[in-house]
Amino acid sequence: MKEYLFASQDQEAEYKRLCLIQDSFDEKSQKHLLQAGLREGYDCLEVGLGAGSMASWMKARVGGSGSVLGVDLNTDFIAENVDYELLEGDILTLDIKRSFDIIHLRYVLIHNKNSQEILQRLYGLLKPGGKLVIEEPDFTLAKWMDAKSLESCRRVNSAICRMFEKKGLKAHFGSTVHLSLEEAGFGIDENRSYLHLCSGNETVARVMASSVRALEKRYLETGLCSNEDIEGYIQACEDPESLGVYYATVAVTALKKETDAVAMSVAEEPARADGIYIARSQAEILQCFELMQTLRPHLTREGFAEQVNRQIAEGYFLFYRYQSSEVVALAGCRLGLNLAWGRHLYIDDLVTSVDRRSEGHGQALLDYLIGFAREKECGQIHLDSSVQRFGAHKFYLREDFKIASHHFSKEVSPL
């Protein structure tokens, strides 16, 4: 995520807003997690900690035999000496090498243009049979019934929705999150929604008043509301005599299905159109095995899907070009950030089927990766190519790649 909407707000005001969210929604979030099966001994991941209340509650539930990892871009609002593990950074690039029984997010994905990649990462981080509990809003369902300035309230809500649209985000994200989950390979275990109908000065109304104060400039920039409208909206949020639906929250529990990666056959994968896809399901991953083995001869079918899933959990993407019911080219890559290259895309694997070369498949896949890198705001693309792969070298040089360094390696024995 390049920019969090509330990142520039005064620290004290933002902390108060996060505490209001906890007061408003923690009880519902706890019920969702308990219904999803949270219990003692579970390994849990909380993405988007806020002020940390949910992670602390989860740790109390799982006890000493379980674990909780909390991840956030900014952990300044977390109290010192918490009883769970804490990581600061982007969930897409953090080095997380373990898997989880339950993962929870609340009001996180609506702020992210790359929400689909985040869901794919979370799919990889879940254990087979693990569950993902997501709570996301839909601001398009707001409706005001009673306020001193009904039109001001309606105009401000229109500005809220337009602000999301201008940033390439979806104000109605919650109502479509189940589709994103299914695309990422999840099964939907439970899907429920509730409207936040309340009077002014209730906790949800106070959350919205705090948010409007923080984002007032952004709403005014849409041209859909005025300073007077902002004041009218905040007045309604504080007036016990007002009544309105501020927005809706959609809570979805998604399941990573337990599958036998080795037993699953390619035939189980549904027919699809020609194009470039990200391998997410076990069947898709296995469909890439034979072509990947031509590049990595040491691989075995039995361990391939398991290895790819471990790498997906650490941020790996496996793209493949599908044509005429076969995988004709594939590329494995990962996003990275370092001092040498800044934010970059590293291509681990890139190969085209021997009998389908010179048909433009490698070119098409590389063009797709360049677009992917631009979308992820990468400044560079890097790869290594073995010294004997002269055909590959010609291809990369033709595509304006430079021979920028020597790659050195040394084998070490594990301790």
Side-chain angles (χ1 to χ4, degrees):
M1 179 172 63
K2 185 67 175 176
E3 179 191 7
Y4 177 53
L5 288 174
F6 295 94
S8 61
Q9 186 178 205
D10 173 77
Q11 289 281 91
E12 183 178 354
E14 176 61 5
Y15 178 70
K16 290 180 178 178
R17 191 185 73 87
L18 293 173
C19 289
L20 278 173
I21 291 174
Q22 293 179 169
D23 294 342
S24 301
F25 304 112
D26 273 10
E27 185 176 352
K28 284 187 173 66
S29 297
Q30 291 164 12
K31 288 180 179 178
H32 298 326
L33 285 163
L34 291 173
Q35 289 170 0
L38 178 69
R39 61 177 180 267
E40 187 173 352
Y42 264 30
D43 296 313
C44 306
L45 172 63
E46 175 79 3
V47 181
L49 284 164
S53 62
M54 284 302 300
S56 294
W57 176 83
M58 291 165 75
K59 186 63 179 76
R61 298 295 303 189
V62 302
S65 59
S67 69
V68 174
L69 171 63
V71 171
D72 206 313
L73 289 170
N74 180 6
T75 58
D76 290 347
F77 302 112
I78 307 302
E80 295 182 2
N81 303 318
V82 294
D83 56 355
Y84 55 86
E85 186 179 351
L86 192 61
L87 276 180
E88 182 173 280
D90 190 331
I91 187 64
L92 285 175
T93 56
L94 284 171
D95 185 18
I96 302 173
K97 289 185 168 63
R98 64 181 189 267
S99 55
F100 302 90
D101 298 291
I102 282 186
I103 299 175
H104 176 242
L105 301 86
R106 183 173 67 195
Y107 301 166
V108 171
L109 297 178
I110 190 170
H111 296 287
N112 285 269
K113 292 181 183 179
N114 53 357
S115 59
Q116 200 60 43
E117 285 75 25
I118 293 173
L119 287 175
Q120 181 187 347
R121 178 85 201 275
L122 298 180
Y123 187 93
L125 288 171
L126 272 176
K127 299 176 183 179
K131 291 184 178 180
L132 176 65
V133 178
I134 291 182
E135 298 167 84
E136 293 290 344
D138 183 340
F139 291 101
T140 66
L141 297 177
K143 182 178 178 63
W144 287 85
M145 282 73 78
D146 190 9
K148 291 180 179 178
S149 181
L150 283 172
E151 289 305 314
S152 288
C153 293
R154 291 164 182 162
R155 283 193 287 268
V156 170
N157 193 74
S158 295
I160 292 172
C161 296
R162 179 66 61 82
M163 179 204 66
F164 279 103
E165 293 169 4
K166 287 180 67 175
K167 294 183 67 64
L169 301 167
K170 298 177 181 178
H172 62 283
F173 185 83
S175 293
T176 60
V177 67
H178 65 288
L179 301 176
S180 299
L181 286 162
E182 289 172 345
E183 184 181 344
F186 287 96
I188 304 301
D189 195 46
E190 190 168 6
N191 190 349
R192 49 205 178 278
S193 62
Y194 39 92
L195 296 172
H196 298 295
L197 171 65
C198 60
S199 302
N201 211 35
E202 293 186 29
T203 51
V204 172
R206 290 161 61 201
V207 167
M208 289 305 296
S210 175
S211 297
V212 168
R213 288 190 183 97
L215 301 178
E216 176 180 355
K217 183 178 178 180
R218 294 179 185 269
Y219 299 152
L220 293 172
E221 288 172 349
T222 67
L224 296 181
C225 68
S226 65
N227 285 302
E228 292 75 17
D229 292 328
I230 296 288
E231 290 306 313
Y233 185 96
I234 292 174
Q235 183 182 45
C237 291
E238 297 173 345
D239 181 4
E241 299 300 319
S242 70
L243 182 67
V245 174
Y246 285 81
Y247 62 94
T249 293
V250 180
V252 183
T253 300
L255 174 70
K256 180 175 181 177
K257 299 174 183 177
E258 295 191 56
T259 56
D260 184 343
V262 177
M264 182 176 286
S265 68
V266 172
E268 293 175 2
E269 184 68 13
R272 59 180 57 208
D274 291 349
I276 295 174
Y277 299 90
I278 299 177
R280 294 189 175 96
S281 70
Q282 301 296 327
E284 284 180 290
I285 292 171
L286 286 172
Q287 199 168 12
C288 295
F289 169 71
E290 291 185 5
L291 181 53
M292 183 67 85
Q293 194 183 40
T294 66
L295 181 66
R296 312 289 183 212
H298 65 281
L299 294 174
T300 63
R301 184 176 180 83
E302 288 72 19
F304 178 65
E306 181 181 357
Q307 175 67 21
V308 169
N309 275 318
R310 283 201 299 266
Q311 292 182 198
I312 287 174
E314 297 181 18
Y316 178 79
F317 296 87
L318 179 56
F319 294 94
Y320 65 97
R321 182 169 171 83
Y322 192 74
Q323 189 174 75
S324 303
S325 300
E326 67 173 314
V327 176
V328 295
L330 59 79
C333 59
R334 48 197 160 92
L335 298 169
L337 180 67
N338 61 28
L339 294 174
W341 304 331
R343 185 163 177 80
H344 63 277
L345 181 71
Y346 189 89
I347 301 175
D348 291 298
D349 322 288
L350 182 60
V351 62
T352 301
S353 179
V354 175
D355 58 354
R356 302 298 298 271
R357 289 174 184 169
S358 300
E359 295 180 8
H361 301 304
Q363 174 74 63
L365 193 52
L366 185 59
D367 288 345
Y368 187 92
L369 293 179
I370 292 171
F372 178 74
R374 286 173 176 154
E375 178 188 334
K376 302 304 175 189
E377 300 180 337
C378 296
Q380 300 183 36
I381 299 176
H382 288 264
L383 59 83
D384 284 318
S385 182
S386 299
V387 294
Q388 78 278 7
R389 298 188 69 219
F390 302 112
H393 302 165
K394 291 180 180 179
F395 172 70
Y396 298 134
L397 290 169
R398 190 177 72 238
E399 297 304 316
D400 293 327
F401 280 77
K402 304 293 189 298
I403 302 175
S405 65
H406 293 288
H407 175 88
F408 294 91
S409 67
K410 179 181 176 63
E411 293 188 6
V412 294
S413 301
L415 296 175

